[in-house]
């Protein structure tokens, strides 16, 4: 998670607002930043500024924005992802304001400029934050990639023009690593080489947000004579939003997952979510034989083009165990490290970058304690003062004396359900009346021309309803929507309501009262 608060003259802004999935807890809930300390201190952000579109930098905005009701600034891709999240939770999107890379904005005494950097998602930006006599560079996530596939490499001249800066708040993720991070261009060539060696069907799993990797896999597949399909809602959404903004124009045509069974195995490649062992993701369903359109078989290959996030190792190993039982070949960061590249800077990149901006002070953020300490050591070797390795809840002052720790506020985890929704308006009074419970379902849908498709998460609010398999219900619902021919939302509701009741009647001990709400939205543009 990432949430940084910057204050000057009693005016505060928030930079990033991320979340994490707690796979160590039952039902894999979300953890979002706690705002108890800012509220107790009377710190109310007047703006939320997003550096890029990764979940750990913007995923919690939809949860915390209702408390702050302030403008949210983001580049076009991140703004598109935020709008989808706001739609899911029934929030108005008027607060989301688009800032192009390179542009500046003002909030009270703060002037902020978005400076493009390379990372594993397009439109990542560092922020030059100017307030009073101080100039702070908040790097966000970055690397020096000479061949990023999507977007241009970092312009050293732009950052040299900033020198010197008073403080750099810098990415420590790969600070212990010597040398440089691998380029996305190198990974693309390695992928093509390895895919040419596969005989059966291939499933490549990576982060849905890594659009350069998705493009590289798809192009490598096409060169090897394979057809490409996407699997997983997060993957489909990310690609849809990116295409609507003009990205991925060179991506080969996609094949619906349901059509893959008609193709010879050596012509099939699937790009799937689930590289971190998420139990609800597409790859986990494949490993357990629970996908309705696709089945892994002996001789197939699963390629992990993603590094394990610390804490996810157990879930990933359990997933790989399930794949091995299917006699599927597994290629990952251990036996084929060339198939993945980090999106963060190693030591040579840090030295180059700091040589450009010549910071007086460093505040090492991201990573764990050992990463921050390695970052401090590197900075001090360059004559940069780095007296602090902060932890969550630290209130830090920058003044003429440098950096100092004002106070430390221990942070309690804030856990929310992935399916947490605000009760639908006007329905709270109805709770508890029927004997067998009430089930409120709300879903945003868009017409595809031949059927309907769900946009965003199914919103479900159950009261006194017996336990049900929500994942199976969601899969069934998506299939039914694709098959229903209806001209209007009213016709769709009339056709869907009895089918929902029938499914619930077959899968629950007692049938609850079902309240179905459909919300029409515009489908993301596919090219």
């Amino acid at each position: 998670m990432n949430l940084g608060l910057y204050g000057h003259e009693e005016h505060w802004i928030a930079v990033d607002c991320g979340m994490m999935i707690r796979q160590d807890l039952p039902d894999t809930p979300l953890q979002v930043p706690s705002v108890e300390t800012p509220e107790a201190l009377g710190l109310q952000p007047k703006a939320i500024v997003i550096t890029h579109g990764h979940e750990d930098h913007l995923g919690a905005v939809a949860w915390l924005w209702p408390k702050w009701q302030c403008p949210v600034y983001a580049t076009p891709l991140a703004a598109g992802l935020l709008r989808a999240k706001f739609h899911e939770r029934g929030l108005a999107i008027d607060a989301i304001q688009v800032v192009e890379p390179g542009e500046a904005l003002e909030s009270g005494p703060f002037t902020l400029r978005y400076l493009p950097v390379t990372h594993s998602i397009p439109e990542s930006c560092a922020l030059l934050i100017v307030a009073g006599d101080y100039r702070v560079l908040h790097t966000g996530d970055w690397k020096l990639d000479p061949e990023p596939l999507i977007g241009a490499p970092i312009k050293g001249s732009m950052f040299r023009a900033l020198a010197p800066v008073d403080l750099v708040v810098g990415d420590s993720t790969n600070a212990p690593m010597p040398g440089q991070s691998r380029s996305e261009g190198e990974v693309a060539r390695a992928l093509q080489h390895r895919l040419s060696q596969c005989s059966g069907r291939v499933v490549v799993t990576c982060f849905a947000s890594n659009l350069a990797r998705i493009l590289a896999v798809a192009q490598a597949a096409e060169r090897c004579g394979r057809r490409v399909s996407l699997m997983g809602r997060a993957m489909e959404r990310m690609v849809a939003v990116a295409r609507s903004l003009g990205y991925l124009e060179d991506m080969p045509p996609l094949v619906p997952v349901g059509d893959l069974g008609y193709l010879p195995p050596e012509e099939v490649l699937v790009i799937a979510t689930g590289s971190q062992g998420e139990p609800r993701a597409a790859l986990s369903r494949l490993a357990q034989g629970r996908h309705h359109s696709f089945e892994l078989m002996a001789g197939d290959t699963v390629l992990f083009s993603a590094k394990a996030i610390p804490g996810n190792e157990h879930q990933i190993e359990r997933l790989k165990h399930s794949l091995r039982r299917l006699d599927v070949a597994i290629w990952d960061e251990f036996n084929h490290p060339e198939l993945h590249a980090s999106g963060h800077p190693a030591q040579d990149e840090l030295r180059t970058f700091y040589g450009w901006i010549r910071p007086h002070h460093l505040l090492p953020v991201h990573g764990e304690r050992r990463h921050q300490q390695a970052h401090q050591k590197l900075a001090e070797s360059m004559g940069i003062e780095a007296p602090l390795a902060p932890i969550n809840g630290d209130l830090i002052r920058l003044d003429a004396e440098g950096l100092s720790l004002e106070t430390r506020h221990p942070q309690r985890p804030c856990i929310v359900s992935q399916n947490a929704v605000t009760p639908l308006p006007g329905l709270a009074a109805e709770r508890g009346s029927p004997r067998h419970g009430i089930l409120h379902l709300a879903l945003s849908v868009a017409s595809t021309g031949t059927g309907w498709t769900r946009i965003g998460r199914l919103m479900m609010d159950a009261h006194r309803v017996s336990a049900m398999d929500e994942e199976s219900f969601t899969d069934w619902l998506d299939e039914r929507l694709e098959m229903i021919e209806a001209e209007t939302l009213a016709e769709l509701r009339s056709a869907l309501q009895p089918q929902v009741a029938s499914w619930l009647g077959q899968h629950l001990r007692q049938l609850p009262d079902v309240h179905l709400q459909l919300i029409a939205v515009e489908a993301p543009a596919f090219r």
Side-chain angles (χ1 to χ4, degrees):
M1 300 183 300
N2 294 277
L3 171 61
L5 299 178
Y6 288 85
H8 184 72
E9 296 178 352
E10 304 303 319
H11 185 99
W12 289 82
I13 60 172
V15 173
D16 287 334
C17 189
M19 70 179 184
M20 63 186 293
I21 299 175
R22 291 295 301 271
Q23 297 196 55
D24 57 324
L25 297 178
D27 299 323
T28 58
L30 306 176
Q31 183 169 339
V32 301
S34 170
V35 294
E36 287 182 354
T37 297
E39 289 176 349
L41 298 176
L43 310 183
Q44 178 82 7
K46 302 297 184 184
I48 303 172
V49 185
I50 302 299
T51 61
H52 64 283
H54 277 153
E55 287 291 288
D56 61 330
H57 287 258
L58 60 67
V61 175
W63 270 267
L64 299 188
W65 181 84
K67 295 177 178 288
W68 295 336
Q69 301 277 321
C70 61
V72 182
Y73 297 97
T75 52
L77 178 59
L81 298 171
L82 281 172
R83 290 191 194 101
K85 289 179 176 294
F86 273 44
H87 276 308
E88 281 184 3
R89 295 185 59 77
L91 301 174
I93 62 173
D94 302 351
I96 301 171
Q97 302 188 26
V98 175
V99 182
E100 294 289 342
E103 289 186 350
L105 62 94
E106 293 185 354
S107 179
F110 288 96
T111 300
L112 302 97
R113 183 171 295 278
Y114 276 73
L115 303 173
V117 296
T118 47
H119 184 43
S120 53
I121 188 172
E123 299 178 1
S124 294
C125 288
L127 296 173
L128 179 64
I129 304 173
V130 179
D133 297 327
Y134 296 95
R135 299 164 73 246
V136 176
L137 185 67
H138 182 107
T139 70
D141 292 354
W142 66 279
K143 65 185 287 189
L144 295 182
D145 192 336
E147 203 177 354
L149 295 189
I150 297 179
I154 287 181
K155 293 182 179 178
S157 59
M158 177 178 63
F159 286 95
R160 281 192 289 266
L162 305 179
V165 297
D166 296 292
L167 171 67
V168 59
V169 180
D171 182 355
S172 308
T173 307
N174 281 346
M177 290 180 53
Q180 289 189 291
S181 297
R182 187 177 289 110
S183 167
E184 284 294 334
E186 293 180 61
V187 175
R189 288 184 287 274
L191 282 166
Q192 183 173 338
H193 174 67
R194 292 299 177 187
L195 285 178
S196 67
Q197 301 173 342
C198 297
S199 56
R201 294 174 300 176
V202 176
V203 176
V204 178
T205 182
C206 63
F207 291 110
S209 58
N210 195 337
L211 293 174
R213 191 70 49 78
I214 292 170
L215 178 62
V217 171
Q219 290 179 335
E222 185 178 45
R223 294 186 187 111
C224 294
R226 292 180 179 270
R227 307 288 294 278
V228 180
S229 184
L230 302 181
M231 189 178 291
R233 296 188 191 96
M235 187 77 66
E236 293 166 358
R237 172 196 284 174
M238 181 65 70
V239 169
V241 172
R243 283 183 155 180
S244 72
L245 294 170
Y247 293 107
L248 303 180
E249 291 183 341
D250 298 331
M251 189 163 177
L254 297 173
V255 177
V257 172
D259 293 349
L260 294 178
Y262 301 104
L263 296 174
E266 65 273 9
E267 294 182 16
V268 172
L269 184 138
V270 172
I271 308 175
T273 56
S275 65
Q276 302 304 302
E278 303 96 318
R280 298 184 179 185
L283 186 57
S284 288
R285 293 164 62 194
L286 286 174
Q288 296 164 18
R290 292 192 295 108
H291 197 281
H292 58 273
S293 300
F294 194 84
E295 184 177 356
L296 285 171
M297 304 172 68
D300 293 342
T301 299
V302 174
L303 193 158
F304 285 77
S305 188
K307 194 180 179 82
I309 295 175
N312 292 344
E313 294 88 351
H314 177 68
Q315 288 83 0
I316 295 172
E317 189 51 43
R318 187 166 55 189
L319 168 63
K320 290 178 180 178
H321 177 70
S322 297
L323 292 170
R324 292 186 189 103
R325 290 175 61 185
L326 299 175
D327 202 18
V328 169
I330 298 173
W331 295 359
D332 58 20
E333 61 182 294
F334 303 107
N335 55 18
H336 290 285
E338 73 278 9
L339 300 178
H340 175 63
S342 172
H344 304 271
Q347 291 177 358
D348 287 355
E349 294 160 276
L350 290 168
R351 291 191 182 95
T352 298
F353 190 71
Y354 294 163
W356 292 345
I357 63 174
R358 294 189 285 117
H360 296 311
H361 302 88
L362 165 74
L363 189 66
V365 295
H366 308 341
E368 300 170 353
R369 189 75 171 181
R370 67 182 183 88
H371 303 88
Q372 293 175 318
Q373 289 173 339
H375 202 173
Q376 286 176 290
K377 183 178 179 181
L378 181 145
E380 289 163 356
S381 73
M382 298 181 67
I384 303 167
E385 294 187 27
L388 302 175
I391 63 173
N392 291 334
D394 281 2
L395 183 61
I396 295 166
R397 174 179 293 274
L398 171 66
D399 57 22
E401 303 299 318
L403 287 174
S404 58
L405 177 62
E406 286 274 290
T407 51
R408 176 161 285 171
H409 302 274
Q411 301 295 293
R412 295 194 302 177
C414 182
I415 307 296
V416 297
S417 167
Q418 291 206 41
N419 296 316
V421 295
T422 303
L424 302 175
L427 297 179
E430 301 176 15
R431 281 183 171 275
S433 51
R435 263 181 61 196
H436 303 321
I438 306 176
L439 181 64
H440 299 296
L441 301 173
L443 58 153
S444 301
V445 295
S447 175
T448 63
T450 57
W452 295 76
T453 185
R454 179 167 59 89
I455 306 296
R457 181 178 293 130
L458 169 67
M459 295 183 284
M460 184 180 301
D461 190 15
H463 178 67
R464 295 174 60 189
V465 175
S466 56
M468 61 182 287
D469 185 341
E470 295 181 14
E471 186 174 337
S472 295
F473 174 67
T474 303
D475 290 342
W476 171 86
L477 181 63
D478 288 344
E479 291 178 12
R480 300 312 303 168
L481 284 169
E482 292 175 2
M483 300 170 61
I484 294 177
E485 296 181 6
E487 296 290 331
T488 66
L489 213 59
E491 291 179 8
L492 176 62
R493 189 180 187 283
S494 296
L496 187 59
Q497 178 92 22
Q499 296 185 41
V500 169
S502 175
W503 189 95
L504 294 172
Q506 296 174 35
H507 292 82
L508 299 182
R509 291 193 306 273
Q510 296 173 318
L511 181 63
D513 279 4
V514 180
H515 297 263
L516 178 62
Q517 180 180 8
L518 303 180
I519 306 162
V521 299
E522 185 177 349
F526 283 90
R527 296 185 178 183

